[in-house]
Amino acid sequence: MKIIDSIPVWGEPLPEAVAQMKAVMNYEKKPDYCALMADHHIGYSVPVGGVVAYERAINVNGVGFDIACGNKAVLLDCDARTTQDNIYRTMNEIQKHISFGMGRKNNERVDSDLFDDPLWSELPLLRDLQAKAMEQLGTVGGGNHYVDIFIDDIERVWVGVHFGSRGLGPSIATHFIKAAGGKDGVHAEPVILDEDSDLGQQYLRCMELAGRYAYAGRNWVCDRVAQILGGGITESVHNHHNFAWKERHHGKDIWVIRKGATPAFPGQKGFVGGSMGDVSVILEGVESLHSPQTLYSTIHGAGRALGRTQAKG
């Protein structure tokens, strides 16, 4: 760990991301705390792999566009050898029943009691988004979002997934950034909402609903893949990594925004998927000298040298 201009940085510091976090620290509404995880890289307004925290305020860009993106891993009671022998047929079945890609919907209708929440009808924004959200629940999306099957080092079968709130999250984020007079863009100034303001309260309610939506989607996908494999789930590990949590640190109640960073309190487990060809792991938070500096956070997945747009060349 290095301290660069008062910012704790883990891993090899990426100059663009460090400069972006320094800019966040110099805006009119400064965070009380910040840190960069080892897989940090530049993001929209706030680096991915960044942790920022404010008293009584929420950084909308810090939560990001893919609200409640996260990882879930489940351990199955399947036979590892049989799973390996049938992997191609299994992956074909997964693609048959689960949709991948932008703007997709599943052939199977995914029902959830979260759509009974009165908030969907209270706020015009959510009223307009509900039908699309219902269609997309249980879809995985594109980019670095995935469903994967793993055999661990003691021959156990795991299913791992990574995705968030689909089209719901970006629509919510875009709405509140515009409503607060902010702009979209990598170097746009973050939108900071007071938690007691009407806009801040609306955003928090929408963010929390998007979190429940993302959890429901990842739960359904893991359950559906377990069904395809013919196994029962015996253990699960589930975390958001694009979210704001009200937590107590350093004697203060603060909003901790983890953007591409996983909560890692002592004893809390997290699933971290590697890039293709790399191992994926289950981590467990511990108490250490540096834990308070991360606000009990860790990595969310493999870092990168280039963004998708940059890598196309």
Side-chain angles (χ1 to χ4, degrees):
M1 191 270 288
K2 304 178 178 70
I3 301 292
I4 302 175
D5 293 333
S6 78
I7 303 169
V9 180
W10 277 262
E12 186 63 32
L14 295 182
E16 273 193 311
V18 173
Q20 189 174 50
M21 185 62 90
K22 285 167 64 177
V24 173
M25 293 292 291
N26 289 324
Y27 288 129
E28 183 177 351
K29 177 63 176 177
K30 299 181 180 181
D32 295 81
Y33 304 98
C34 72
L36 286 171
M37 303 299 98
D39 56 349
H40 63 268
H41 53 269
I42 195 167
Y44 284 86
S45 301
V46 177
V48 178
V51 179
V52 290
Y54 303 80
E55 280 193 89
R56 308 188 67 81
I58 306 96
N59 186 321
V60 176
N61 311 66
V63 173
F65 289 90
D66 193 2
I67 298 172
C69 187
N71 291 335
K72 182 176 184 180
V74 294
L75 176 63
L76 304 183
D77 57 7
C78 298
D79 178 72
R81 177 62 62 85
T82 302
T83 300
Q84 287 178 308
D85 290 344
N86 295 327
I87 191 64
Y88 293 109
R89 185 176 67 188
T90 298
M91 297 309 291
N92 285 335
E93 282 295 302
I94 289 172
Q95 289 185 309
K96 177 181 175 182
H97 294 286
I98 298 170
S99 293
F100 297 80
M102 299 287 288
R104 301 292 299 280
K105 60 183 180 181
N106 277 339
N107 293 327
E108 298 179 35
R109 178 71 175 222
V110 182
D111 294 317
S112 173
D113 58 8
L114 73 87
F115 293 114
D116 298 329
D117 192 308
L119 188 59
W120 290 102
S121 57
E122 283 180 30
L123 297 180
L125 166 67
L126 294 177
R127 197 181 307 132
D128 293 341
L129 294 173
Q130 185 175 12
K132 181 179 179 180
M134 293 175 76
E135 288 182 344
Q136 289 192 334
L137 184 62
T139 62
V140 176
N144 63 345
H145 295 161
Y146 60 80
V147 173
D148 215 339
I149 298 171
F150 307 97
I151 308 296
D152 69 16
D153 52 4
I154 55 173
E155 295 295 301
R156 299 181 302 175
V157 178
W158 293 80
V159 173
V161 302
H162 172 211
F163 61 93
S165 50
R166 303 299 289 112
L168 179 64
S171 297
I172 290 171
T174 300
H175 170 83
F176 283 96
I177 288 171
K178 289 182 177 178
K183 296 180 180 179
D184 182 9
V186 172
H187 299 294
E189 183 172 339
V191 169
I192 315 294
L193 301 179
D194 188 284
E195 70 170 351
D196 294 324
S197 68
D198 180 59
L199 207 56
Q201 283 294 306
Q202 286 187 40
Y203 174 77
L204 286 171
R205 295 174 74 193
C206 290
M207 181 197 73
E208 288 165 1
L209 185 65
R212 289 167 53 205
Y213 179 89
Y215 255 67
R218 293 192 291 265
N219 288 341
W220 184 84
V221 169
C222 285
D223 290 347
R224 191 67 181 88
V225 176
Q227 182 183 359
I228 290 169
L229 285 167
I233 295 173
T234 62
E235 182 182 345
S236 65
V237 180
H238 201 174
N239 302 101
H240 293 321
H241 52 239
N242 283 6
F243 211 67
W245 292 263
K246 190 69 171 285
E247 299 173 355
R248 189 163 184 84
H249 296 273
H250 308 292
K252 295 191 292 187
D253 291 324
I254 53 178
W255 283 102
V256 180
I257 293 100
R258 296 182 177 92
K259 183 178 189 176
T262 307
F265 289 92
Q268 183 177 17
K269 291 182 179 180
F271 164 56
V272 176
S275 60
M276 283 188 177
D278 291 336
V279 297
S280 298
V281 295
I282 304 293
L283 303 177
E284 183 173 315
V286 298
E287 188 66 72
S288 72
L289 179 65
H290 295 304
S291 296
Q293 290 178 285
T294 69
L295 301 182
Y296 295 90
S297 311
T298 188
I299 59 175
H300 83 298
R304 66 181 192 182
L306 299 173
R308 289 191 294 273
T309 302
Q310 294 171 305
K312 282 180 180 178

